[in-house]
Amino acid sequence: MTKEVSEQGEMSGKDYQDPPPAALIDAEELAKWSLYRAAIAEFIATLLFLYITVLTVIGYKSQTDPNKPGVDECGGVGILGIAWAFGGMIFILVYCTAGISGGHINPAVTFGLFLARKVSLIRALLYMIAQCAGAICGVGLVKGFQKAYYVRYGGGANEVAPGYNTGTALGAEIIGTFVLVYTVFSATDPKRSARDSHVPVLAPLPIGFAVFMVHLATIPITGTGINPARSFGAAVIYNQEKAWDDHWIFWVGPFVGAAAAAFYHQYILRAAAIKALGSFRSNA
């Protein structure tokens, strides 16, 4: 019955409005304060994200360091706590910045939204620069406050764990980012928002949970990147060879995963290709 009502509603007219596609290059944006305000929001959000999460990782390693006398190796927050730190911070920061910048806090998310024509090329590039700069500053604060611990416990840098090869690590990053970006598209879909008025308020929640779940699965493999800014900021400040050895994985994997999620949501679930073909035939 519900399906029939839904289908009849779609036939009589949509109860939602898709926003128009963003221009590829919108030079007029450069003259608008809202663009720079959004970039500042992305910078601060990514700074806070890296500061809290990297500090959590280093704190856990310090609490469970077997070389320290009287330390309980089973103590600390554990992988579960680290995953909560990443997921919880994304939930908080997306909630805080969604109305200003969209709450991307991740170049892979920005890239996926750019491919879906949700943001212009200029905005996407400015966001990515702000996110990477924020990540560097956030990790820099951690090192500045706890330099000895930071250097001793790896600086929160991503690397392929012993026992795993680059193919496995790349696959983990691709699939993990796909889960995240697919969740972003689904949680912010205007069709869903129109029919469930509470969804815009709750949108940060599934996004944060996606980050949490992916961390649970992939921390043992790569330390979980799924965010090139997070990996880049930690690698720049830590600046050790092992942090750069497989660094390309933490750019290629997330960007491929984001592209796959954008394609799946836009062209399969939302049938953008079929709609475009139908429009072309009706105009012919």
Side-chain angles (χ1 to χ4, degrees):
M1 180 66 183
T2 304
K3 183 178 180 181
E4 292 175 359
V5 172
S6 176
E7 290 175 350
Q8 291 173 0
E10 289 176 357
M11 292 175 62
S12 62
K14 294 193 298 185
D15 57 357
Y16 66 96
Q17 184 66 42
D18 283 313
L24 178 61
I25 299 176
D26 186 0
E28 293 182 359
E29 275 192 311
L30 294 172
K32 296 179 179 178
W33 163 243
S34 60
L35 173 65
Y36 302 102
R37 180 184 63 183
I40 293 170
E42 288 291 311
F43 170 83
I44 296 297
T46 314
L47 183 154
L48 295 174
F49 176 61
L50 267 292
Y51 174 75
I52 296 297
T53 54
V54 171
L55 204 58
T56 302
V57 171
I58 292 174
Y60 165 66
K61 290 185 176 181
S62 174
Q63 290 173 321
T64 58
D65 186 352
N67 297 318
K68 282 186 174 182
V71 168
D72 181 7
E73 294 187 33
C74 297
V77 296
I79 290 179
L80 184 64
I82 293 172
W84 270 121
F86 278 88
M89 280 303 293
I90 287 296
F91 168 66
I92 293 168
L93 295 170
V94 170
Y95 179 82
C96 292
T97 60
I100 301 170
S101 67
H104 298 191
I105 322 173
N106 184 337
V109 171
T110 301
F111 181 65
L113 293 173
F114 165 70
L115 293 179
R117 301 286 302 276
K118 304 293 185 182
V119 295
S120 69
L121 178 61
I122 292 173
R123 183 175 291 267
L125 291 175
L126 189 59
Y127 275 20
M128 291 181 189
I129 293 170
Q131 290 156 359
C132 289
I136 292 171
C137 292
V139 182
L141 285 177
V142 176
K143 184 176 181 179
F145 293 149
Q146 297 191 8
K147 184 173 183 179
Y149 286 106
Y150 179 87
V151 174
R152 184 184 308 165
Y153 297 117
N158 289 118
E159 57 187 76
V160 180
Y164 294 96
N165 57 39
T166 54
T168 301
L170 181 62
E173 289 295 309
I174 291 173
I175 296 172
T177 310
F178 179 92
V179 172
L180 169 60
V181 178
Y182 173 43
T183 304
V184 170
F185 275 106
S186 298
T188 59
D189 192 325
K191 184 175 183 179
R192 179 189 297 271
S193 300
R195 298 177 181 180
D196 300 302
S197 60
H198 61 279
V199 167
V201 178
L202 297 179
L205 187 59
I207 296 171
F209 261 107
V211 172
F212 167 69
M213 296 303 295
V214 171
H215 274 75
L216 284 182
T218 59
I219 283 176
I221 303 172
T222 61
T224 308
I226 68 169
N227 184 335
R230 174 261 185 273
S231 302
F232 182 68
V236 167
I237 299 300
Y238 187 56
N239 200 28
Q240 299 292 325
E241 185 176 350
K242 65 177 182 179
W244 294 110
D245 283 344
D246 298 307
H247 186 68
W248 63 272
I249 290 173
F250 302 102
W251 285 89
V252 174
F255 274 36
V256 171
F263 176 84
Y264 175 64
H265 185 269
Q266 293 296 105
Y267 291 97
I268 297 179
L269 298 186
R270 294 300 303 275
I274 296 175
K275 292 176 183 177
L277 180 61
S279 176
F280 173 76
R281 286 177 174 175
S282 63
N283 293 330

